[in-house]
Amino acid sequence: SAEDAVANDFHLGTGYTVLILSGPNAGGKTVAMKSVGLAALFVRAGLHVPAQEGARVPLVDRILADIGDEQDIRESLSTFSAHMANLAEIVRMATKNSLVLLDEVGVGTDPGEGSAIAQAILESLADRGARCIATTHYSLLKELAALDDRFCNASVDFDPETLAPTYRLRFGISGASSATTVAARMGMPLALLERANTLLEHEDRQLDGMLSELASSRAALEREKREASELRFES
């Protein structure tokens, strides 16, 4: 229902052209990305856009997307091969007036190689000035915003107490993947998850721990703000 919908402010193309969207697997990254794509399609079709008065949605020349698994045994295409075929076409066709939507860019191969290819693709799209949203769990891509002002980070909130996504976007920060937390919510045995935690590399564990602490702090602050607002209203 409309009451349950989570409204988000979304900025792209002013000051930066590539948005790196990260956060938990169940956090709604793809939902947020598809919502922007649908808004752009609505404009192209002459339909009303479900946005607040004053919102601006530019008319793009084309929407180029690589979302989902496109493997095809008949064409000898693995998951990675299919993604690379799509991405090669996207890089060829993208212009400064295009909107590019890339879901989990670079997945399906060795993480080191995949993240390097993904960064090169995103840099190529930034060189062309194309507006691009890319969801990812790669730390390398999350670090781009600190090195290149054409990139910006955003994350989707995840409530650490309920272990459920909030679908609330936070711009300017990257989010932890919270893979083991999501796996626990899906019923994965505790002993197996404890073993997985011991296998994680120390650096990745530190980064995820820091991002998880930030998420918990944000959630606590949001609760305090709501409680303070309710008290002011009652008084």
Side-chain angles (χ1 to χ4, degrees), residues 32 43 54 75 91 105-106 119 137 144 172 176 180 191 203 221:
V43 170
E75 298 294 332
V91 170
V105 58
Q119 178 173 341
H137 293 286
L144 277 175
T180 52
E203 291 81 4
L221 286 172

Side-chain angles (χ1 to χ4, degrees), residues 12-187:
L12 183 64
T14 303
Y16 58 89
T17 58
V18 181
L19 184 70
I20 306 298
L21 189 54
S22 58
N25 298 74
K29 299 186 299 298
T30 306
V31 171
M33 181 175 64
K34 286 181 176 179
S35 297
V36 177
L38 286 171
L41 286 172
F42 281 9
V43 170
R44 284 177 58 88
L47 300 174
H48 291 292
V49 177
Q52 191 173 32
E53 184 177 354
R56 298 179 61 186
V57 183
L59 179 63
V60 297
D61 61 4
R62 55 174 60 92
I63 298 172
L64 304 168
D66 182 57
I67 301 173
D69 189 350
E70 301 294 337
Q71 65 176 227
D72 190 333
I73 295 176
R74 293 171 299 179
E75 298 294 332
S76 299
L77 286 176
S78 67
T79 296
F80 181 72
S81 299
H83 281 303
M84 288 301 104
N86 289 341
L87 291 168
E89 186 72 3
I90 286 171
V91 170
R92 186 183 68 80
M93 296 179 64
T95 72
K96 65 179 182 180
N97 296 316
S98 301
L99 175 62
V100 181
L101 308 176
L102 306 178
D103 194 27
E104 304 296 350
V105 58
V107 299
T109 188
D110 172 79
E113 285 188 304
S115 59
I117 292 173
Q119 178 173 341
I121 288 170
L122 295 177
E123 288 175 343
S124 175
L125 293 171
D127 290 341
R128 297 182 182 211
R131 296 179 180 89
C132 177
I133 305 171
T135 69
T136 190
H137 293 286
Y138 289 146
S139 295
L140 181 66
L141 300 187
K142 297 177 187 180
E143 296 166 1
L144 277 175
L147 305 172
D148 191 329
D149 58 11
R150 299 174 301 173
F151 292 78
C152 179
N153 278 321
S155 63
V156 183
D157 273 353
F158 187 75
D159 192 320
E161 292 187 358
T162 64
L163 304 183
T166 68
Y167 299 99
R168 181 75 61 190
L169 289 178
R170 302 290 179 184
F171 278 76
I173 58 174
S174 57
S177 296
S178 302
T180 52
T181 303
V182 174
R185 181 168 173 252
M186 296 296 106

